[in-house]
Amino acid sequence: MRLRDAAGFFDSTLAKDAYNPLTEFKCQVEPFDYVKIGGTSVKRRVMSTTPDVTVPARGVIDISGQRYLLSDASPDHWDGEIIRNRYVLQGADDLADITSVADLLLNVAGASAYASIEFNKYSTDERDNSRFHPQYNIYFSGAETVHTGDIVSVGSASGTRYYLVRDAHKSMAGPMEALSNELEAPVIDSADFISKVYDPISDSYSGSTTAVRCIRVRWQ
């Protein structure tokens, strides 16, 4: 038996494309080495597959109902040949919408993608108040497009949470990382837009008031 064939003998875990459950493949999954270090590492795993396996293009898989983001592949070699591909998996518990500010103001639906949201730190700004303002690292598959200034929204039973992306870049492991500030509720509101036209003959203004959709953002 060739080593390449032996390397795939124990691929018994069924993984599915999180966006298309009809697409599936077999793999091996093991706990990440430092899974006991902190709470954010609990849902990190290592997956390996034979080199002939094509992982989902959007980089999110479903294993027994748990969604995971895929890292870039790290191949194992033997005698000049790839015998295994290894991936780091990050649990993705939220289905988020990625929207530009312009589209959100126009109430246009954004792109939906699975995400892993991890608390990063609290920040303060004494010029405004003494409250703590939470900041998060939001991870998406490397196949997703996220820009600085986008709005990420996540719905839940308690309501929708909104995050303003401060910086977005592809991490060394492959997933897209968005450093984001959570926006304080209410986020979506309405404001009166007053349009005036000056009449030089009567030396007076005429105009109208229109209710427009707006986003409450705390700039810092």
Side-chain angles (χ1 to χ4, degrees), residues 32-46:
F32 210 59
D33 289 342
Y34 57 86
V35 71
K36 297 180 180 179
I37 291 179
T40 59
S41 302
V42 169
K43 289 188 177 179
R44 239 169 240 170
R45 301 288 185 268
V46 174

Side-chain angles (χ1 to χ4, degrees), residues 11-161:
D11 288 3
S12 58
T13 299
L14 182 65
K16 300 180 180 181
D17 186 337
Y19 300 102
N20 180 15
L22 297 179
T23 302
E24 57 187 36
F25 59 92
K26 292 292 186 68
C27 63
Q28 294 182 41
V29 178
E30 58 187 270
F32 210 59
D33 289 342
Y34 57 86
V35 71
K36 297 180 180 179
I37 291 179
T40 59
S41 302
V42 169
K43 289 188 177 179
R44 239 169 240 170
R45 301 288 185 268
V46 174
M47 179 186 78
S48 62
T49 66
T50 54
D52 60 301
V53 169
T54 301
V55 297
R58 292 189 66 182
V60 186
I61 62 172
D62 184 315
I63 299 177
S64 300
Q66 173 65 56
R67 278 90 178 186
Y68 293 97
L69 305 178
L70 287 174
S71 72
D72 290 339
S74 177
D76 292 337
H77 297 81
W78 175 260
D79 197 21
E81 183 181 15
I82 298 176
I83 60 172
R84 300 289 294 173
N85 279 323
R86 294 168 64 85
Y87 304 83
V88 175
L89 307 183
Q90 171 67 44
D93 295 331
D94 296 292
L95 184 60
D97 288 329
I98 309 167
T99 316
S100 67
V101 170
D103 284 346
L104 188 58
L105 288 173
L106 294 172
N107 202 20
V108 176
S112 294
Y114 285 103
S116 173
I117 302 177
E118 294 186 359
F119 174 77
N120 181 31
K121 66 176 183 178
Y122 282 112
S123 60
T124 60
D125 188 351
E126 291 79 5
R127 297 171 299 176
D128 181 27
N129 54 56
S130 59
R131 287 180 295 177
F132 291 104
H133 305 283
Q135 190 176 77
Y136 293 84
N137 287 323
I138 304 180
Y139 296 94
F140 296 94
S141 160
E144 306 301 334
T145 300
V146 186
H147 300 101
T148 299
D150 282 350
I151 302 292
V152 176
S153 58
V154 178
S156 65
S158 58
T160 302
R161 301 174 68 177

Side-chain angles (χ1 to χ4, degrees), residues 197-213:
V197 176
Y198 176 68
D199 184 352
I201 297 176
S202 62
D203 191 25
S204 63
Y205 289 92
S206 63
S208 60
T209 301
T210 306
V212 295
R213 182 180 172 94

